[in-house]
Structures are given as C-alpha cells and as structure tokens.
Amino acid sequence: MKLNGQGLADRAGWEAAGFELPKFDRTKVAQATRENPVWIHFGVGNIFRAFQANVVQKLLNNGEMDTGLVAAEGFDYEIVEKMNRPHDDYSILVTLKSDGSVEKTVVGSIVESHTLDSQNDAEYGRLKEIFTKDSLQMASFTITEKGYSLVNGKGEQLADVAADFAAGPDKPKSYIGKVASLLYARFQAGAKPIAMVSMDNCSHNGDKLYAAISAFAEKWSANGLVEQAFLNYVNDKANVSFPWSMIDKITPRPDASVEEILKKDGVEGLEPVVTSKNTYVAPFVNAEECEYLVIENAFPNGRPPLEKAGVMFTERETVDKVEKMKVCTCLNPLHTCLAIFGCILGHQKISEEMKDVELKKLIETVGYQEGLPVVVNPGILDPRSFIDTVINVRFPNPFMPDTPQRIATDTSQKLAIRFGETIKAYQASPDLDVTQLKLIPLVFAGWLRYLTGINDEGGSFELSPDPLLDTVRPYVAGQKLGSTVSADELKPVLEDSKIFGVNLFDAGMAQEVVRYLNEMLAGPGAVRETLKKYV
C-alpha cells in the first residue's frame, strides 16, 4: 500500500486496513481548483495537514465544496519537493484519541502544491495566476509568528526585507515580500477583493500579517515602485481584510510509534524526511481529536461554508476574547509550565508530566486560581470547561507523543503573552492584587533555571531553539548548583518587558523570582523540592 494516486487505486485494501478515504472525485476537484481556486494556504506544516486540510476534505466529502486546497511553502521548499509531490499531495491523518482508539484518514483535499520561489518562473507564475483569479476568496497562513517579522531578534531589519523594499515587487526574496508581490498581482488584475487570514497561534495574528504586508505596500509606494492606489487597496477592508483568528489543535512531530502502526497496516514508504533546513516531515501527521478554529467573519469576496465542518465565525471582539482565554490562561501558559519544568526534570512526554503530582498541581493553580479570575468569558467557549478539557483530556492523553522539548521552543517569545497579560490584568483590577500571583513568578524563575542547561540531577540537557538564547543565557550560564545570583546581576533580563510583558521590578516580582531561582539552584533535587514547597 503506497500513499500516492496509484497506490490508492486499491481502495478496498486501504479500507480493509481501517483507513477512511476521500469520497470525492479528486480529478474533477483538481481541475475545478485549477480553473477557479478558492483557497490558497501558505505553510504546509503539520497543523495545516491535520486541521485545515481535513476541514476541506469533510466539505468535499459532503458536497459542500467542489474545489480543493492549493498549498504553498515559502520557508522550506524541500517539504513540497520531497514530501508533497512524491505522494501526489496525499497525507495520512492519524487522530490519537484519549480513549486509546486511533482514527486513520487519508487526506486528499490538497490538489496543488507549490514553492513560494520568485526565482522559479513556473512556480511563481502559477501563484500569480491563482492570485489574479476572480474565484479566490482567501489566502491563509500557518508560518509561525516569526514568519511575519521583518526584523531579527535584535530588532534589526532583515537583509532580504531591506533589499525587497528597495527593489520592488518583481522578484522579492523575503517571505512576506513575495506574498505582498502576489497581492500586488491581484491588485493589478482589477483590485479584486480577498481575505488574508493568519491562522497562526499568536495574539491578534491578522494585525501582524497586515503590519507586515502594509509595510511593503508603504515602502514600495514611497519609493515609486508601485502605485499609491496599491497602498490604498491594502488599507481598504472592503477590498483586503486581515481577520483575526484563534486556532488550537495539538499536532506534535510525526512519531515513530505512529509510523509503526501504519507499517503494520501495510503502508509503505513512511520514512520521514529531514530537510537541509532541519524540518522533520513525514507522509503522516499525528494529532489529538480536540480542535478549535474561531475566525472573524470578514471575507470581502465571500468564503467557503467552513462552519459546516466545525469552524466558528464571529466578530473580532469575540475572537479576541477566545484568543486571550486560550493563549493567556487556559492552555498556552499551562503548556509552557510543563515545557520548562519537564525539561529540567527529565520528562519526555507531556502526558507523563500529568502523572507528576507537583506539575499537575502547578498548572491547576496557574490556570484555575491565578488565570481564571481575569479571563473574560467569550460566550462561544466557556473558559472553565476549556481548562477542564485541557487538564483532564488533552494533556493526559497517553497516545499523544508531544514533548516538553518541543513546547519549550522560543519560550522567550511566549512569556509576555502567556503570563504578562495576566499580570497586567491584576495590576489594572481594583479588586485584585498582583502580589497574589505566587506561581507565575515561580515559572519565570523556572525558565531562568532552565537556561542554565543543568537538569535537576546536576547533569546537562540540550536547550530548545530560541532567538534570545545568546542574549539572555549569558546572565545565568555561569551558575552552578549551589551558587546564588542577585537581582542586580539579572536586572537587564528582569526589567525587559519584551520578555515578561512587564518590568518585573515595577511589578514587584523581581526579588521573588530571584528567591525562587536561588532555591532551585541550591543543589541536586532542589527544583523538585521547590515545587513541593510552593505548589
């Protein structure tokens, strides 16, 4: 059983092995998509293949859509070249349910895949053609929050961005420059309306996408490289919208245990590919069953009926409430707690950590006691029920191969939103006192302890990638077990509101964070003892 068009011709064999197959005429859908594309998505990573692609598959199966997805990859072309195309754009979604059951779906809704390569006339020409079509309703993105940034971790403008600002929209080099160039092609074809929909897991994601694209429109217009009318087009919500969205579905890296399940079913050619950019991709994705996608209903050229596959549409204010509920309180902060302490304590799975008495109590306290008092109920999702599902169903799922090491990636970019917003809400509240927050400072101290690279037994462990490692780590890298550090020594870090969301000295937390840190540096086992003492 091979995962490609030829191999899937044996439907009976796949179905006998328990796979759900596409129920639509894929050749017909591909042709309709080529002629009248409706949805193009940038970023062909795991969450897209597990979530958005499956949403479209459900709609195709039910006859609610007659066109499929166009996928474009702008960061790592090898994903398309070495994974999508050899498998004719098919992938396998393995849903790992908390009751131990496994659901296997062959997803065939992606019917075109392209590299966002402005130097490749065939690839880029097709993308421009897609962007000039009247039928195109939306371009969506899962390119990570860093994908929208035009500067590096030090705030310096990226070289490719600077070059693109000067050279114009002909053959840009930067990711967003290429997207802006495609949008310019749509403008030139008649200023046709479109929704540019960030579906990345970051706050006010639509604004981040808008800021990046409008920066190109402004520079190109100011430099006389495009018409002023293009800038007006980008800024006119009746033509180009940038809806906010909130997405939530845990999709860990494809796991060897899942690969073994599929091999036993008779599927061949499942070997993962590690690209030259160190992207790890496989012909399958493994994911949890829970999923949420809430989108601001702002689509100037119409949209597919995604609500019929579980997507929730609402106004911007509600998306904001849902996003803050999840990112600032009900899921992301709890994930970061488990990531930081899981790495220090040697855990290899998030689900294992949920059997750790202190860590479970830590996230319960951070979520229910410290976070929930400042959450605004968005109405369409209940915050307490959301946390209940996270703590009792999602995180403990023993079949989800998610790791604290993966979640610990880019922690310096996450703390301000995941914890800083709660601190600010306490500061602004007439009824709450920021000194009531005891475990959020403990998590901050845990992150500084994590940055030493010393586990709780005194051995070393590998830190996950983070753009500020070289900036922040030197302040703690010299610490050994048994040493102490002062608030003055850590002042440049502790007062950095870009990291924590607030200046920890101004918030009255700096000394407490340092006290916790020194307790966790006391010797082998000190992190565990500190957790026992305070949670």
Side-chain angles (χ1 to χ4, degrees):
M1 291 163 51
K2 292 186 177 179
L3 184 66
N4 55 34
Q6 185 177 355
L8 286 161
D10 176 22
R11 291 183 66 92
W14 285 86
E15 289 171 346
F19 288 84
E20 182 180 329
L21 301 182
K23 297 179 175 65
F24 52 90
D25 184 333
R26 195 166 186 251
T27 302
K28 187 177 178 181
V29 167
Q31 183 60 35
T33 305
R34 183 149 197 93
E35 294 171 1
N36 294 295
V38 169
W39 182 357
I40 183 170
H41 184 89
F42 294 88
V44 297
N46 290 334
I47 193 161
F48 164 65
R49 293 162 66 202
F51 198 165
Q52 291 93 334
N54 197 40
V55 163
V56 173
Q57 171 130 319
K58 291 174 185 175
L59 295 172
L60 287 167
N61 284 342
N62 295 335
E64 302 287 353
M65 287 183 71
D66 57 11
T67 57
L69 274 161
V70 179
E73 175 56 38
F75 171 71
D76 194 336
Y77 301 157
E78 290 178 52
I79 299 174
V80 167
E81 295 162 351
K82 296 183 178 180
M83 189 54 60
N84 280 65
R85 289 178 180 166
H87 296 284
D88 296 335
D89 287 319
Y90 284 104
S91 64
I92 297 172
L93 167 60
V94 181
T95 303
L96 305 166
K97 299 190 174 183
S98 56
D99 65 4
S101 63
V102 173
E103 195 174 87
K104 299 168 296 188
T105 307
V106 174
V107 178
S109 58
I110 301 168
V111 292
E112 281 187 53
S113 59
H114 301 283
T115 59
L116 184 58
D117 183 358
S118 59
Q119 306 305 307
N120 185 317
D121 291 340
E123 295 280 343
Y124 208 60
R126 173 57 183 158
L127 291 173
K128 281 190 172 181
E129 180 186 3
I130 289 167
F131 262 79
T132 60
K133 293 281 189 177
D134 291 350
S135 58
L136 189 66
Q137 295 179 327
M138 61 189 289
S140 58
F141 301 79
T142 49
I143 61 175
T144 77
E145 184 169 1
K146 289 185 291 186
Y148 306 106
S149 181
L150 307 184
V151 298
N152 63 21
K154 297 178 181 178
E156 302 159 340
Q157 191 173 85
L158 296 170
D160 282 350
V161 170
D164 289 349
F165 281 169
D170 186 26
K171 290 195 173 182
K173 297 177 181 178
S174 65
Y175 202 130
I176 296 297
K178 294 171 196 174
V179 173
S181 170
L182 295 175
L183 192 57
Y184 180 59
R186 188 166 183 81
F187 163 77
Q188 288 181 303
K192 297 171 181 176
I194 189 172
M196 305 290 283
V197 190
S198 170
M199 296 181 177
D200 270 299
N201 181 17
C202 56
S203 177
H204 301 173
N205 46 20
D207 286 355
K208 289 179 168 59
L209 177 58
Y210 164 73
I213 288 178
S214 65
F216 278 90
E218 287 173 8
K219 285 291 185 181
W220 288 344
S221 175
N223 293 337
L225 300 165
V226 301
E227 306 90 319
Q228 168 71 29
F230 176 56
L231 177 59
N232 298 340
Y233 168 72
V234 170
N235 286 329
D236 183 354
K237 293 178 182 177
N239 278 321
V240 185
S241 67
F242 295 87
W244 291 3
S245 72
M246 189 288 291
I247 191 167
D248 182 19
K249 186 177 180 73
I250 299 172
T251 52
R253 174 172 134 161
D255 192 72
S257 64
V258 175
E259 183 180 341
E260 285 304 311
I261 292 172
L262 300 178
K263 280 183 179 177
K264 288 177 183 176
D265 288 331
V267 184
E268 303 170 43
L270 290 167
E271 294 75 20
V273 169
V274 179
T275 71
S276 58
K277 289 193 173 181
N278 209 33
T279 306
Y280 186 101
V281 289
F284 65 92
V285 288
N286 35 240
E288 65 172 341
E289 59 192 299
C290 294
E291 59 185 29
Y292 306 87
L293 180 54
V294 183
I295 307 176
E296 177 188 356
N297 199 7
F299 290 79
N301 199 31
R303 60 169 176 79
L306 305 183
E307 68 277 8
K308 295 183 179 179
V311 178
M312 292 173 271
F313 290 93
T314 184
E315 68 281 350
R316 172 168 286 205
E317 292 73 18
T318 300
V319 176
D320 188 40
K321 291 173 185 175
V322 172
E323 185 264 330
K324 284 180 178 173
M325 178 197 79
K326 176 222 168 190
V327 174
C328 304
T329 305
C330 296
L331 187 144
N332 295 28
L334 314 187
H335 239 168
T336 292
C337 294
L338 295 176
I340 290 169
F341 287 104
C343 290
I344 299 171
L345 296 172
H347 287 292
Q348 297 300 314
K349 279 190 176 183
I350 294 292
S351 57
E352 285 177 10
E353 294 189 69
M354 295 305 291
K355 300 174 186 174
D356 185 313
V357 174
E358 284 78 40
L359 295 186
K360 186 169 186 284
K361 181 65 174 174
L362 171 67
I363 66 168
E364 287 173 342
T365 305
V366 169
Y368 290 118
Q369 294 181 27
E370 298 194 348
L372 266 187
V374 293
V375 168
V376 176
N377 191 328
I380 59 174
L381 290 171
D382 177 68
R384 180 170 286 275
S385 297
F386 193 93
I387 295 185
D388 289 344
T389 302
V390 166
I391 291 178
N392 299 316
V393 178
R394 301 177 69 185
F395 286 177
N397 184 342
F399 307 101
M400 278 293 292
D402 210 0
T403 68
Q405 291 74 23
R406 182 185 82 88
I407 304 300
T409 300
D410 299 339
T411 299
S412 71
Q413 310 298 290
K414 299 171 179 175
L415 296 172
I417 294 296
R418 298 187 178 192
F419 301 99
E421 292 303 308
T422 293
I423 296 170
K424 286 189 250 183
Y426 270 75
Q427 289 175 320
S429 171
D431 304 316
L432 297 169
D433 184 349
V434 75
T435 62
Q436 295 172 275
L437 298 174
K438 298 299 182 185
L439 295 193
I440 288 178
L442 178 63
V443 176
F444 290 163
W447 179 60
L448 295 170
R449 173 66 178 79
Y450 161 89
L451 289 174
T452 66
I454 304 169
N455 65 30
D456 201 30
E457 296 175 350
S460 62
F461 67 92
E462 184 179 352
L463 299 180
S464 300
D466 190 306
L468 288 189
L469 280 185
D470 292 341
T471 304
V472 178
R473 196 182 180 203
Y475 290 97
V476 295
Q479 298 302 316
K480 308 294 182 188
L481 296 190
S483 64
T484 58
V485 63
S486 70
D488 284 343
E489 291 175 80
L490 295 179
K491 187 174 182 182
V493 179
L494 299 176
E495 67 182 4
D496 192 337
S497 60
K498 289 182 180 177
I499 294 177
F500 298 105
V502 295
N503 179 322
L504 294 183
F505 286 95
D506 293 345
M509 287 185 173
Q511 296 295 341
E512 190 168 28
V513 169
V514 173
R515 178 172 59 81
Y516 283 141
L517 174 59
N518 285 327
E519 288 191 42
M520 288 189 281
L521 283 168
V527 174
R528 175 65 67 187
E529 289 306 311
T530 304
L531 286 168
K532 286 181 177 179
K533 180 178 178 181
Y534 293 107
V535 305

